[in-house]
Amino acid sequence: MAVTTQQNLPPQYVQDLQQDYGQQLVATTAAPLNTAAFAPQVAPQDQAQQDAYAMATKPGEGIGAFQDYITNAESYSGPQGYKGFMSPYQQDVIDATMKEYDTQAAAGLTGIGQQAAMSGNLGGGREGVMRANYQNKSDMNRALLQSGLLQQGFTQANQLANQAFGQQQSLASQVPGLYQQDIGTLGSAGAAQQAQAQAELDAQTNAAQLEAYAPYERLGYLGSGIASIASGMPGQYHSMVQPNPTPLQNALGIASVGGGVLGNLYGSKGAPWFQ
């Protein structure tokens, strides 16, 4: 006895749609997707960032910006540090002062001779003793005056050297900080510009991605509509493209759409209706 197999087929227009869909699916997926068009891109460093790096690594501006000031401070320390601050007119002042002192001292000796003459001891031993005592005291006072002038000049020069030493130390601390502020400002401004450039590249990448996936989106939407007509149930379509998708998400999206649509079209018996 012959066995009769009954097969329930969808309406002809549904079969036509399914066949057309199958042909489009094969044609669309036959060519590899050009992922290079939406490959991730990294914005280059902004010029301000490059300037910040150049300044940070340039000797005297970033690295070792304090060194010149430390070197200068060293020259103002030690037993010879005061010499650069000695007044060039100090010796002139000393010479003029000592000349005036000698003039006054000579006038004093003249006064002793006059006193000796008035007392009748001119040229005597008493006059000689008075002159010797006067000269010894005068020489001592002269030496004290000269040493005082020299000490005054040294003290002043030493104070100026200490002041310069402190100034150089202060600059050694302040100057690197000022350079650091400039470096930080340049770096921040450059980072903002780089972020803007990166956002533009990301937008271009997303646009290229949407363009590349447009055929797959249309095909997926069409397949969902055909499956809905064939089953008599409202279909739901889920887009493959999400905000800022990763390449892995995109790959999985293509696979799931293709597999899901084919599964709907095969039906429960495993035979595609469009064949």
Side-chain angles (χ1 to χ4, degrees):
M1 183 177 67
V3 178
T4 302
T5 302
Q6 184 177 0
Q7 184 177 8
N8 294 325
L9 297 176
Q12 184 61 44
Y13 74 92
V14 175
Q15 296 184 51
D16 292 341
L17 287 172
Q18 292 171 341
Q19 183 176 4
D20 178 64
Y21 178 82
Q23 292 173 352
Q24 292 187 54
L25 180 64
V26 172
T28 301
T29 58
L33 186 65
N34 182 20
T35 57
F38 49 90
Q41 301 182 66
V42 178
Q45 281 191 325
D46 184 77
Q47 184 61 47
Q49 289 174 301
Q50 298 179 26
D51 292 342
Y53 175 81
M55 181 179 292
T57 56
K58 182 178 179 180
E61 292 188 3
I63 297 175
F66 57 87
Q67 187 58 53
D68 289 343
Y69 303 100
I70 295 298
T71 302
N72 291 337
E74 290 176 352
S75 66
Y76 302 140
S77 63
Q80 306 300 322
Y82 75 95
K83 288 188 175 180
F85 297 91
M86 292 293 290
S87 171
Y89 306 104
Q90 183 179 14
Q91 190 59 49
D92 293 337
V93 173
I94 293 175
D95 291 343
T97 302
M98 301 314 297
K99 182 178 180 180
E100 179 63 23
Y101 180 87
D102 291 340
T103 300
Q104 296 298 327
L109 285 175
T110 301
I112 292 175
Q114 292 174 350
Q115 292 177 11
M118 293 174 61
S119 62
N121 293 316
L122 184 63
R126 185 176 181 182
E127 180 187 2
V129 172
M130 292 175 64
R131 285 181 176 275
N133 289 336
Y134 179 86
Q135 189 66 52
N136 289 337
K137 186 176 181 180
S138 176
D139 291 345
M140 182 178 295
N141 290 337
R142 190 180 194 281
L144 289 174
L145 177 60
Q146 186 176 19
S147 65
L149 292 173
L150 292 172
Q151 181 63 39
Q152 181 181 357
F154 170 77
T155 300
Q156 182 178 1
N158 198 46
Q159 289 174 345
L160 293 174
N162 288 335
Q163 180 180 344
F165 181 84
Q167 290 173 340
Q168 294 300 311
Q169 281 190 318
S170 178
L171 288 172
S173 300
Q174 293 179 4
V175 170
L178 295 175
Y179 277 124
Q180 187 62 41
Q181 290 179 12
D182 288 345
I183 292 170
T185 300
L186 287 172
S188 297
Q193 290 298 108
Q194 186 185 34
Q196 175 63 28
Q198 184 63 56
E200 293 175 0
L201 289 177
D202 292 342
Q204 294 173 6
T205 298
N206 289 337
Q209 185 183 44
L210 291 173
E211 182 179 358
Y213 276 92
Y216 297 91
E217 288 285 302
R218 292 194 298 270
L219 193 61
Y221 187 79
L222 176 61
S224 176
I226 295 175
S228 175
I229 294 173
S231 64
M233 298 293 292
Q236 294 182 350
Y237 173 69
H238 299 284
S239 174
M240 292 180 294
V241 180
Q242 302 296 329
N244 298 321
T246 64
L248 177 60
Q249 290 173 330
N250 293 335
L252 294 177
I254 295 174
S256 63
V257 169
V261 171
L262 289 177
N264 290 334
L265 294 180
Y266 283 165
S268 59
K269 295 184 179 180
W273 292 337
F274 57 84
Q275 289 185 349

